[in-house]
Amino acid sequence: MDPEEQRRIASEGGKAAHESGHAHEFNSEEAREAGRKGGEASHGGGNQGGGNR
């Protein structure tokens, strides 16, 4: 399945969840925390590899 079709299907699911009231809506504090965790996981987490495993 091409990426654009996948995005379209996922978007429909998200819209349906919001319309039915089942989707979680982040408040500003939750959004801030999620952004912080994402930054740590992608580049700021301190574990950049290169060590012994």
Side-chain angles (χ1 to χ4, degrees):
M1 176 181 307
D2 81 59
E4 186 57 39
E5 178 72 1
Q6 208 168 5
R7 263 191 295 282
R8 186 188 65 75
I9 292 170
S11 175
E12 288 177 9
K15 289 175 185 173
H18 277 278
E19 287 175 5
S20 68
H22 288 91
H24 179 75
E25 295 187 16
F26 285 93
N27 63 34
S28 60
E29 182 58 35
E30 289 173 319
R32 188 172 16 262
E33 181 69 10
R36 184 186 64 77
K37 287 181 179 180
E40 287 178 358
S42 65
H43 54 74
N47 185 5
Q48 299 297 311
N52 293 333
R53 292 186 179 210

